[in-house]
Amino acid sequence: MNSLPRPAAVAFDLDGTLVDTEAILIEAQRQTLMDFGITGLASDHPRTFGMGMEPGVRRLSEFYGLDYAKVLEVFRPNWTRLSATELTPMPGARTLLLRLKSDGIRMALVTSADPVHAQNALKALNVPGAFECVVDAEMVSRLKPSPEPYLKAAEHLGVSPQDMLAIEDSGSGVTSALAAGMRCVAVHVEVHERHELAPAHVKIRTLIDFPQFT
């Protein structure tokens, strides 16, 4: 697709969409499991990317048969340390943000991350004033795949969800955006192989490929 209808606003997911955090998440999990005597990840290690910290840690704990509260206590500082020092923008992220900002497109950040990580990511992106609205994990009662985070962003902007475009990299995020009534662009290097991204209206491999607005 060479173009998209110009939306009233664009809502971006954060982790895996704008900043590269999947490798950091895996490393934080690996370091955490080492504290419990588990060296190396299982071949069927659960995918928790895009779930938010507490749901992800819960799945991790259940998979390895560990106490959730103890794992969360160890995981949190590991994640905070790595996300404060190792974040880098995804390919094309800064260029796209600058382009949309220059074009006068209103933007929101909609993330399952905690506020500290969200701010660390914004520093790594280094596009001041890009986002008119930031919805993080502490601002909603239900995380993605619930539509609540995207609906809250639309409410904050005073825009109908049907007039917004969401950009996501995970199945839970796509489900959330579509349930909110938004059009959705899925971005992932394996976008055509990941069946959970199939419901998105548009599928691209990187933000470099993001279409123009008509």
Side-chain angles (χ1 to χ4, degrees):
M1 179 177 289
N2 296 322
S3 64
L4 279 170
R6 183 184 174 98
V10 175
F12 282 89
D13 172 55
L14 180 60
D15 294 316
T17 300
L18 289 175
V19 290
D20 188 0
T21 46
E22 191 159 10
I24 295 173
L25 174 65
I26 293 296
E27 178 61 18
Q29 291 179 344
R30 187 189 68 79
Q31 292 183 16
T32 298
L33 291 172
M34 286 180 64
D35 269 38
F36 296 89
I38 300 172
T39 56
L41 305 182
S43 59
D44 55 346
H45 181 79
R47 180 176 173 81
T48 63
F49 198 65
M51 295 180 62
M53 181 184 295
E54 294 183 5
V57 170
R58 187 171 298 281
R59 178 175 291 182
L60 185 74
S61 304
E62 292 172 352
F63 181 85
Y64 287 97
L66 301 172
D67 180 87
Y68 163 72
K70 292 179 180 178
V71 174
L72 182 62
E73 183 180 2
V74 176
F75 176 83
R76 194 184 298 276
N78 285 337
W79 169 251
T80 299
R81 173 175 46 82
L82 290 169
S83 70
T85 58
E86 303 296 329
L87 286 178
T88 57
M90 293 294 286
R94 290 194 71 252
T95 299
L96 178 58
L97 291 175
L98 289 167
R99 178 185 122 194
L100 297 185
K101 183 181 177 184
S102 175
D103 288 347
I105 299 289
R106 301 174 71 191
M107 290 182 280
L109 187 66
V110 181
T111 177
S112 297
D114 62 90
V116 173
H117 173 65
Q119 290 304 312
N120 287 337
L122 289 175
K123 291 177 184 176
L125 288 165
N126 191 27
V127 186
F131 297 105
E132 193 172 328
C133 163
V134 176
V135 177
D136 60 49
E138 294 187 3
M139 297 174 64
V140 295
S141 59
R142 293 174 298 170
L143 299 175
K144 305 170 188 177
S146 164
E148 183 182 350
Y150 279 108
L151 291 174
K152 185 169 286 290
E155 179 183 10
H156 182 92
L157 294 175
V159 173
S160 169
Q162 287 73 25
D163 295 329
M164 290 183 63
L165 179 70
I167 305 176
E168 275 284 353
D169 76 307
S170 71
S172 62
V174 170
T175 299
S176 174
L178 295 180
M182 297 184 185
R183 290 180 60 80
C184 184
V185 174
V187 54
H188 195 284
V189 293
E190 297 178 342
V191 70
H192 299 294
E193 291 75 39
R194 291 194 175 275
H195 63 87
E196 69 271 21
L197 302 179
H201 296 90
V202 176
K203 294 172 258 308
I204 56 177
R205 289 173 55 81
T206 76
L207 292 176
I208 297 170
D209 306 318
F210 193 84
Q212 297 289 331
F213 291 136
T214 55

